[in-house]
Amino acid sequence: MDLTLKRFDLRNLGSWAGDAVLPVGIMILVAMMVLPLPVFLLDTFFVFNILLSLLILMVAMHTYRPVDFSSFPNLLLIATVLRLALNVASTRIILTSGHTGEDAAGKVIRSFGDFVIAGNFTVGIFVFVILVIINLMVITKGAGRVSEVSARFTLDAMPGKQMAIDADLNAGILSPEEATLRRSEVGTEADFYGSMDGASKFVKGDAVAGLLILAINIIGGLIIGAAQHDMTIADAAQTYVLLAIGDGLVAQIPSLLLSIATAIIVTRVSSTQNMAEHIGRQVNLSRAWVPVAVVMAIIGVIPGMPNLMFLTFAAMSAGAAFYARQAEDAALEDDANSDDGATTIEKAEPQSIELADVTDYSAVSLQLGYGLISMVDADQGGPLVTRITGIRREVSRALGFVVPGVRIRDDLALGPNAYRIRVGQTIVGEDEVYPDRKLALAGARSNIALDGIEVKDPSFGMDAIWIRPHQQAEAEANDYVVI
């Protein structure tokens, strides 16, 4: 008993801790914007920010369908707020403690600044601006446009998808549980693309904020260093530009990774493969690699070109074409073997039954007993098919849409003169009919009972009698309506 209670308490504690992670994390992000942050924690959060961005990018690349990563807009918002909170915290440290040296804002910012600047402040600023332009003008702008169009088309197609699900449900193709799941997927897809249309604005705003923060750090650092700490302009520039570029790069690289992840998600086509397999399978065509190898080889023999490099890539392209051709031949052999295997199985098991053999997906169907088959046999003058076509034409003209075709088939489970009408898988009518007899309906003055099979008229529910053809004159003389 004590062991069970202890296990129950541990499970509750783990569940409570998991539920509390996100709210506590959001509160920490807000606190980072207003409270001073130690340098060690600043480095830790910068490294965690890069880790989170890489994780989101890898998950986006290995997602089969965009809606499989439906939490992406939420993660994008959290990652953007984290990055902006780090920018605020690092800006506070740079402006307040930057005069103490290049290590004032931590090792991560200094390392990124040293790596990119390499002793030339102008080069560092230009590299940072180029990264922002790539992020803002190319990736983010394209992803935002794709998100907008996808959201619009997804919402426009939603009623049609719902109607298609209802049609499949009525036809018996889908069970009620499957139809409910499909409707949920359609709703989730619409919500996802609607969220992505707004989430792409986070990335765009983050890129603009990066430029403004860089300018604030440089201009503010120069003013504070020269006015408050008696630093020369050269010394202030050396310190504050290094810290500003490092801070901007530490923020822009994760931002660039998230922009790529956003573009991958919104341009992803649903398939049963991840992105690498999807692209690799479609690009691996020998017909495409052979011309590439030829063109690269031609460029490689032109005088003045880097011949060795072009010829090397030509050889690599030729190798890719060779392996692609082998893969295509292997796929053809596998298809041939599978076809042969299917033929062998079919010959070995001629009585095997597939699901398609016993499932009727027709919208309207008419099942006949074996005694009524002559009514649809054109060689025997069966009028049933022609009459059904005429009725469909009249009903379609009256209702304003084309009534689906009627599938007619025999059913040995029915009586010889029985028939059954189905709409989808629902039986809407069934009765018996005698093609060698006529149906007599009694009138108001009919007072003689005829010899025949007494039934109910299937159209109006009136008493009727199936009589022989030679009884028609007698029936009409006694006020019977003969059909």
Side-chain angles (χ1 to χ4, degrees):
M1 185 66 179
D2 294 339
L3 182 60
T4 302
L5 290 175
K6 183 181 294 185
R7 184 179 302 172
F8 180 75
D9 291 338
L10 290 176
R11 289 179 179 176
N12 287 343
L13 181 60
S15 176
W16 180 87
D19 295 338
V21 168
L22 190 58
V24 171
I26 297 296
M27 295 303 298
I28 292 175
L29 293 182
V30 176
M32 288 169 54
M33 296 184 182
V34 295
L35 299 177
L37 196 66
V39 176
F40 172 75
L41 288 180
L42 187 64
D43 286 343
T44 303
F45 282 123
F46 273 131
V47 174
F48 175 75
N49 186 27
I50 297 174
L51 181 149
L52 180 62
S53 302
L54 285 172
L55 177 62
I56 294 174
L57 176 60
M58 293 299 107
V59 173
M61 293 179 63
H62 291 84
T63 299
Y64 291 161
R65 302 182 307 159
V67 292
D68 291 339
F69 198 10
S70 57
S71 62
F72 179 80
N74 305 103
L75 285 175
L76 185 62
L77 173 60
I78 293 173
T80 303
V81 174
L82 172 61
R83 193 162 50 254
L84 293 176
L86 289 175
N87 283 137
V88 173
S90 61
T91 298
R92 181 187 296 110
I93 294 177
I94 290 173
L95 296 181
T96 57
S97 305
H99 64 282
T100 60
E102 297 175 353
D103 290 329
K107 296 181 179 179
V108 175
I109 290 179
R110 177 180 178 179
S111 299
F112 273 86
D114 287 336
F115 180 76
V116 174
I117 290 179
N120 192 326
F121 300 146
T122 306
V123 172
I125 295 175
F126 285 158
V127 169
F128 177 82
V129 172
I130 290 173
L131 287 177
V132 174
I133 291 175
I134 292 173
N135 186 7
L136 180 62
M137 301 301 296
V138 181
I139 302 176
T140 303
K141 187 175 182 179
R145 179 57 179 166
V146 174
S147 299
E148 179 183 351
V149 174
S150 299
R152 184 182 306 165
F153 279 93
T154 301
L155 293 176
D156 291 344
M158 191 174 179
K161 292 181 179 179
Q162 296 284 8
M163 293 176 63
I165 294 172
D166 293 338
D168 291 343
L169 177 62
N170 295 332
I173 300 176
L174 297 176
S175 65
E177 293 77 12
E178 292 173 337
T180 302
L181 181 60
R182 291 281 186 89
R183 292 192 185 98
S184 177
E185 291 178 351
V186 171
T188 301
E189 184 181 14
D191 293 340
F192 172 76
Y193 282 109
S195 300
M196 285 302 302
D197 186 22
S200 60
K201 306 298 188 297
F202 298 151
V203 182
K204 180 179 180 181
D206 182 43
V208 175
L211 277 175
L212 297 178
I213 292 172
L214 174 69
I216 291 172
N217 284 334
I218 294 177
I219 297 174
L222 292 176
I223 295 174
I224 293 174
Q228 297 182 5
H229 302 292
D230 298 327
M231 299 176 65
T232 63
I233 296 297
D235 292 338
Q238 181 178 1
T239 301
Y240 287 102
V241 172
L242 172 66
L243 295 177
I245 295 297
D247 178 48
L249 287 175
V250 172
Q252 279 304 309
I253 290 178
S255 177
L256 183 61
L257 295 177
L258 288 180
S259 299
I260 297 173
T262 303
I264 289 175
I265 285 291
V266 298
T267 57
R268 186 82 167 92
V269 178
S270 298
S271 68
T272 57
Q273 302 169 318
N274 59 38
M275 190 180 73
E277 294 175 348
H278 192 199
I279 295 176
R281 183 175 181 180
Q282 296 186 358
V283 172
N284 192 26
L285 294 175
S286 60
R287 298 187 303 274
W289 282 108
V290 169
V292 171
V294 172
V295 172
M296 296 296 287
I298 293 175
I299 297 176
V301 298
I302 296 177
M305 289 288 182
N307 305 102
L308 180 60
M309 183 176 297
F310 275 102
L311 291 177
T312 301
F313 277 94
M316 294 171 60
S317 301
F322 175 75
Y323 286 113
R325 184 60 183 176
Q326 283 190 329
E328 292 169 359
D329 294 340
L332 291 175
E333 291 180 1
D334 291 341
D335 292 340
N337 292 336
S338 62
D339 292 341
D340 293 342
T343 304
T344 304
I345 293 175
E346 184 177 354
K347 291 181 179 178
E349 300 180 7
Q351 298 180 354
S352 62
I353 300 176
E354 301 293 337
L355 180 62
D357 299 331
V358 297
T359 304
D360 186 6
Y361 296 122
S362 55
V364 183
S365 61
L366 174 62
Q367 298 169 278
L368 302 176
Y370 64 86
L372 304 179
I373 296 178
S374 59
M375 299 181 66
V376 296
D377 190 354
D379 297 334
Q380 301 182 26
L384 186 59
V385 176
T386 303
R387 291 184 180 180
I388 289 177
T389 304
I391 293 173
R392 284 184 57 223
R393 184 180 296 109
E394 293 179 4
V395 173
S396 300
R397 186 181 297 112
L399 298 180
F401 63 89
V402 178
V403 176
V406 180
R407 179 182 179 183
I408 304 175
R409 62 185 181 90
D410 61 319
D411 191 341
L412 297 178
L414 298 176
N417 295 307
Y419 69 88
R420 179 179 295 158
I421 302 174
R422 290 177 180 268
V423 175
Q425 299 299 315
T426 303
I427 299 174
V428 296
E430 56 182 344
D431 209 328
E432 292 187 350
V433 65
Y434 299 88
D436 57 339
R437 293 174 177 260
K438 294 182 180 293
L439 187 64
L441 302 177
R445 294 178 297 175
S446 300
N447 52 15
I448 297 178
L450 299 176
D451 182 22
I453 303 174
E454 296 183 358
V455 294
K456 289 286 186 179
D457 172 37
S459 299
F460 305 102
M462 300 174 57
D463 293 331
I465 303 174
W466 286 102
I467 61 175
R468 299 288 182 180
H470 66 270
Q471 296 177 278
Q472 181 174 355
E474 179 186 359
E476 291 176 346
N478 288 278
D479 199 27
Y480 279 88
V481 177
V482 180
I483 302 175

